[in-house]
Amino acid sequence: MQTALANIQMVDLKGQYQKIKTEIDAAVLECMVSAQFIQGPQVKEFQLALEEYLGVKHVIPCANGTDALQIALMALGLEPGDEVIVPTFTYVATAEVIGLLRLTPVMVDVDPNTFNITAEIIEKAITPRTKAIVPVHLFGQCADMEPIMALAEKHGLFVIEDNAQAIGADYYFSNGRKQKAGTIAHIGSTSFFPSKNLGCYGDGGALTTNNDALAEKIRIIANHGQRKKYYHEVLGVNSRLDTIQAAILNVKLPYLDQYCAARQSVASYYDQNLKGITGLKIPARAANSTHVFHQYTLQVASHLRSNLIAHLANHGIPSMIYYPVPLYRQEAFKIYWEAGKSLPVTEMLCESVVSLPIHTEMDEELLSFIAETVASFFNK
Ligand SMILES: *Cc1c(COP(=O)(O)O)cnc(C)c1O
């Protein structure tokens, strides 16, 4: 008999699959039988369902979240050397595609509470060469988009939301209107990597936009630059969502709100049981966004962090550091950075953050074990 405390995972994909196995197996089997592995009807079905869920005019499914970012940038018609402002505290994909397209990533610091970039931070980095901004909705809550969009409009800049971690989150405008993460900027990109909040069983991604002309460009670029088969208007890429992955996502999308709610209750449990501990800071909530907790990320006094991680590991509890190194310190990004320069908030976060297990299959026994083990480290 396995208890919930055996083999604790950061994300429990096996447990989640067991609960929807009948539906998933049938959906996958149907793909095998119909053998429409590329652009089968499930892809269009998923596109329409996601458009409806997000309340966005266009969803363009693609092969993964990194491709979604790259295709978004390609659709904007930027020139080599154009500058794109991006947080330095993020997953590499956000900035990697900028460099690959011979654009210049301008890496900026983040807010110490929300871990996201803000209009104030962005404004200081704008130059005559700036063409676009890529805010990342890190760990599951939105960057403050209303002032970011106002700033972008003032300077004539494009905005791409990297929504790989916050699908399902709601952003609230100052007039009370709410919109789903990824549908606010000119283009949104997301990822269905298995461990993301809406994960498939391999690679997958999508772009979102309310702009018809951009949607058309994106569709063409994602399909070898062709509108009509064998007639290529622009240089494109081959980036499709597999039919099998779309079939899996069609089963999982109806559960997304439930999955977000499960993550939110895990986060509340951790909050309740970890708040007020000296040397430990629970995640702050952004003022204008719900939080779907792709990660539950603590800040720990930096001299204690490795000991806390070892203490958790001794009790069979995994933890992860997202992210240990600012982008500008990565070998691949040094060419975009003035040697010796550093950004204080990112440096501090890279030394102090630690993420606890959070997923859709956690019960109270498991949560109390993890929370008590964290607390016991500080209260010993
Ligand atoms: C996961 C992720 C991506 C990339 O998605 P893939 O599907 O793995 O290519 C991009 N940006 C952020 C912030 C991510 O977390």
Side-chain angles (χ1 to χ4, degrees):
M1 180 67 200
Q2 273 212 327
T3 80
L5 303 184
N7 194 18
I8 302 171
Q9 315 269 322
M10 288 300 285
V11 185
D12 182 8
L13 297 178
K14 287 184 184 171
Q16 194 188 60
Y17 166 61
Q18 285 307 322
K19 293 204 180 135
I20 52 173
K21 183 178 187 316
T22 320
E23 287 176 90
I24 294 276
D25 291 3
V28 171
L29 198 62
E30 196 183 315
C31 298
M32 309 297 178
V33 173
S34 71
Q36 295 190 59
F37 300 116
I38 302 294
Q39 303 294 29
Q42 290 87 343
V43 179
K44 183 78 182 181
E45 190 190 320
F46 175 64
Q47 175 205 316
L48 296 174
L50 189 58
E51 284 169 357
E52 162 99 31
Y53 174 84
L54 293 174
V56 72
K57 221 164 156 193
H58 305 279
V59 164
I60 303 96
C62 69
N64 58 68
T66 309
D67 274 10
L69 284 161
Q70 179 180 329
I71 294 164
L73 287 165
M74 288 171 79
L76 299 178
L78 307 182
E79 304 281 339
D82 284 351
E83 293 176 1
V84 181
I85 296 172
V86 65
T88 187
F89 189 64
T90 181
Y91 182 56
V92 66
T94 321
E96 182 176 45
V97 292
I98 299 170
L100 272 176
L101 294 172
R102 297 282 177 259
L103 307 168
T104 303
V106 174
M107 296 168 276
V108 298
D109 217 352
V110 295
D111 177 87
N113 295 307
T114 63
F115 311 133
N116 284 327
I117 56 174
T118 64
E120 297 76 63
I121 295 169
I122 295 163
E123 187 157 30
K124 293 193 198 108
I126 293 175
T127 77
R129 297 232 63 175
T130 308
K131 290 290 156 55
I133 308 163
V134 187
V136 179
H137 301 321
L138 203 73
F139 301 152
Q141 62 185 345
C142 295
D144 197 2
M145 290 304 291
E146 188 169 8
I148 292 175
M149 293 312 292
L151 181 69
E153 187 158 351
K154 181 170 140 199
H155 293 272
L157 308 176
F158 289 110
V159 182
I160 299 169
E161 294 171 78
D162 182 344
N163 191 32
Q165 301 189 3
I167 193 162
D170 288 312
Y171 178 78
Y172 286 84
F173 288 83
S174 48
N175 65 6
R177 190 168 58 87
K178 69 174 178 180
Q179 237 171 286
K180 286 283 180 204
T183 69
I184 300 155
H186 302 94
I187 307 178
S189 66
T190 196
S191 164
F192 308 119
F193 186 84
S195 62
K196 299 284 155 95
N197 289 25
L198 177 62
C200 58
Y201 292 179
D203 278 307
L207 296 103
T208 43
T209 182
N210 285 307
N211 181 307
D212 297 341
L214 281 175
E216 182 70 0
K217 275 193 192 152
I218 289 165
R219 261 185 219 108
I220 292 170
I221 292 167
N223 185 26
H224 292 296
Q226 64 192 350
R227 204 183 303 253
K228 189 172 155 203
K229 207 167 168 71
Y230 303 124
Y231 293 83
H232 306 274
E233 298 168 31
V234 291
L235 292 180
V237 295
N238 172 15
S239 188
R240 295 177 289 234
L241 180 66
D242 283 351
T243 305
I244 291 177
Q245 301 307 337
I248 289 161
L249 290 165
N250 284 330
V251 173
K252 290 187 75 176
L253 180 58
Y255 292 101
L256 178 57
D257 284 341
Q258 194 178 310
Y259 290 161
C260 291
R263 288 173 177 274
Q264 285 162 344
S265 58
V266 170
S268 311
Y269 188 96
Y270 283 150
D271 281 352
Q272 285 310 312
N273 289 277
L274 298 176
K275 69 180 178 207
I277 294 176
T278 309
L280 186 69
K281 191 174 160 202
I282 62 173
R285 305 295 195 275
N288 301 321
S289 173
T290 61
H291 200 325
V292 294
F293 287 97
H294 177 60
Q295 299 298 341
Y296 184 89
T297 303
L298 298 166
Q299 292 180 58
V300 184
S302 58
H303 66 287
L304 297 176
R305 185 174 66 174
S306 56
N307 288 340
L308 170 64
I309 291 169
H311 171 79
L312 293 173
N314 285 338
H315 291 81
I317 301 171
S319 59
M320 291 291 285
I321 297 171
Y322 304 111
Y323 297 93
V325 182
L327 280 184
Y328 53 77
R329 280 197 197 290
Q330 303 282 357
E331 199 60 40
F333 289 88
K334 282 189 176 158
I335 53 165
Y336 305 110
W337 199 249
E338 188 187 316
K341 197 178 138 190
S342 66
L343 297 174
V345 175
T346 299
E347 293 288 333
M348 180 273 288
L349 292 178
C350 287
E351 287 184 9
S352 63
V353 289
V354 58
S355 297
L356 296 181
I358 190 163
H359 55 77
T360 57
E361 310 303 314
M362 300 179 85
D363 60 17
E364 182 132 5
E365 184 195 11
L366 177 57
L367 289 174
S368 76
F369 176 65
I370 296 173
E372 277 167 25
T373 310
V374 174
S376 72
F377 173 80
F378 292 94
N379 299 333
K380 63 184 179 255

